[in-house]
Amino acid sequence: MKLNKFNFFIIIFTLLIISSCNILKDSTIQTNKTVTDSIQTKTEIQIPKTEDKDAIKLLKKEANYQWFTTRVKALITTDNESQSVVIFVVNKKDSIIYLNISKFAIEISRAVLSKDSVKFMNKLDMTYYVGDYSIFPKKFGVTLNFNMIQSIFTASDFRQFDDNFNIIGSDSTITFNQLNRRNKKDNIRINQSISYSKQNSNIFLNSIEDAVSQQKAIVTYTQFQNVENIKFPQFWQIEIPGIKMKAQFLNESLHFNIEALTSIRIPDRYKPISFDENE
């Protein structure tokens, strides 16, 4: 079965992970712009090398949880088309990400991401994909691994990458810039710029460019919430300018340390998705 546009839309944002009707509002867009404008007007200075370690410690701080579950409203826009979906998300930290995607209360797809594998099935056209993370660079020009996807969900820095940042500070923010940032284990190279709020103690902007394909993803976090003494992103946006895709997500009913379903069974009658555009 050839990968159609609907499958493409679901897979890439399942893969970059993420999560309607009322999310895309002028007020929200203005909030994002105001945050960006205020950053640009601050006087920035190079942080002394002696303070780099302290800044990186702030960047490396992660939410302390074993499990989280959430219901996510998502509005995803491609070119001039928009799709609103609801995504039920389960994450067993450092192990599994499970997604159940529905529209108008009808389940349309499920996905399970582990450290080494990706499983996805589309219930509308009875297709599936089972494989590894090599599907990302092959089809989408973006190299990803499990830890990167989990980090995007939780607004934290990517693990297992080197930390040779050029660090710039202002009264309110710290910006971490690095070209050709490497994860040697998974052979990933990215150009990255991360903006960290001193006042709110969180990442609010993560610009990631694949160093090989130059495909870029810009992740913006504009709202956080404290649930069970854990700080977590509530409203966030991912934009991929190269393919004109944007998604906005609102976390609802966020819960921690409650185990939930993390597996799927693909029926025998389902057909594998082909990523060969010539088929």
Side-chain angles (χ1 to χ4, degrees):
M1 177 71 68
K2 185 179 179 180
L3 181 68
N4 60 34
K5 187 174 182 179
F6 181 79
N7 279 332
F8 180 89
F9 141 74
I10 288 293
I11 288 175
I12 195 165
F13 280 106
T14 295
L15 302 178
L16 284 174
I17 292 307
I18 18 261
S19 317
S20 0
C21 301
N22 297 321
I23 293 179
L24 188 57
K25 296 181 179 179
D26 291 342
S27 60
T28 302
I29 296 172
Q30 183 61 40
T31 298
N32 293 345
K33 186 176 186 300
T34 301
V35 170
T36 303
D37 289 347
S38 65
I39 295 165
Q40 292 174 343
T41 59
K42 298 294 182 182
T43 301
E44 296 185 336
I45 58 172
Q46 184 75 38
I47 288 183
K49 288 295 183 182
T50 54
E51 299 178 18
D52 277 5
K53 289 184 178 180
D54 292 336
I56 291 175
K57 283 182 181 178
L58 293 176
L59 180 67
K60 293 296 183 182
K61 188 175 181 180
E62 296 183 358
N64 183 19
Y65 68 93
Q66 296 300 314
W67 293 78
F68 85 75
T69 62
T70 183
R71 180 179 182 270
V72 180
K73 287 185 176 180
L75 179 64
I76 303 174
T77 304
T78 62
D79 294 327
N80 296 320
E81 299 178 10
S82 293
Q83 291 272 7
S84 59
V85 295
V86 174
I87 307 176
F88 178 68
V89 182
V90 179
N91 174 213
K92 182 179 181 182
K93 190 174 184 180
D94 301 334
S95 178
I96 292 286
I97 297 172
Y98 167 90
L99 302 105
N100 184 314
I101 303 169
S102 63
K103 187 176 179 68
F104 303 130
I106 300 173
E107 182 181 348
I108 56 178
S109 63
R110 294 187 188 185
V112 174
L113 311 179
S114 69
K115 286 189 173 182
D116 301 314
S117 67
V118 176
K119 296 180 181 179
F120 167 84
M121 69 175 183
N122 186 330
K123 300 187 74 173
L124 295 184
D125 59 13
M126 295 189 296
T127 59
Y128 73 92
Y129 169 78
V130 177
D132 59 23
Y133 286 82
S134 64
I135 187 58
F136 296 122
K138 287 178 181 177
K139 184 61 186 179
F140 307 118
V142 176
T143 305
L144 293 170
N145 62 21
F146 177 89
N147 286 329
M148 292 172 73
I149 295 171
Q150 180 176 264
S151 295
I152 290 171
F153 262 120
T154 58
S156 54
D157 184 36
F158 299 157
R159 297 181 190 168
Q160 299 176 324
F161 280 78
D162 57 29
D163 297 322
N164 300 316
F165 292 110
N166 176 32
I167 304 177
I168 298 172
S170 72
D171 293 340
S172 59
T173 66
I174 306 172
T175 302
F176 301 81
N177 298 315
Q178 186 172 339
L179 295 176
N180 207 31
R181 192 181 186 200
R182 292 177 178 269
N183 178 321
K184 293 182 179 180
K185 178 179 179 294
D186 293 323
N187 193 28
I188 300 174
R189 294 187 296 116
I190 58 175
N191 303 321
Q192 191 172 21
S193 179
I194 305 169
S195 296
Y196 181 92
S197 170
K198 292 181 180 179
Q199 179 179 358
N200 299 319
S201 302
N202 59 250
I203 292 171
F204 63 89
L205 178 67
N206 190 355
S207 178
I208 312 143
E209 181 182 67
D210 189 288
V212 177
S213 69
Q214 296 186 327
Q215 186 73 270
K216 179 179 284 188
I218 303 167
V219 189
T220 308
Y221 305 92
T222 55
Q223 295 178 26
F224 283 75
Q225 59 182 330
N226 284 303
V227 179
E228 301 172 25
N229 295 320
I230 297 174
K231 192 173 186 179
F232 220 73
Q234 182 177 20
F235 182 89
W236 46 299
Q237 171 180 291
I238 293 181
E239 183 175 5
I240 306 180
I243 55 175
K244 298 180 180 178
M245 299 184 77
K246 180 169 68 174
Q248 294 186 306
F249 307 103
L250 179 66
N251 279 329
E252 297 184 328
S253 305
L254 186 62
H255 299 284
F256 290 96
N257 300 324
I258 299 175
E259 295 187 22
L261 176 69
T262 58
S263 63
I264 60 175
R265 185 186 69 82
I266 299 172
D268 293 339
R269 66 182 183 278
Y270 279 34
K271 297 180 179 180
I273 296 172
S274 171
F275 292 90
D276 185 352
E277 296 181 353
N278 296 320
E279 286 189 9

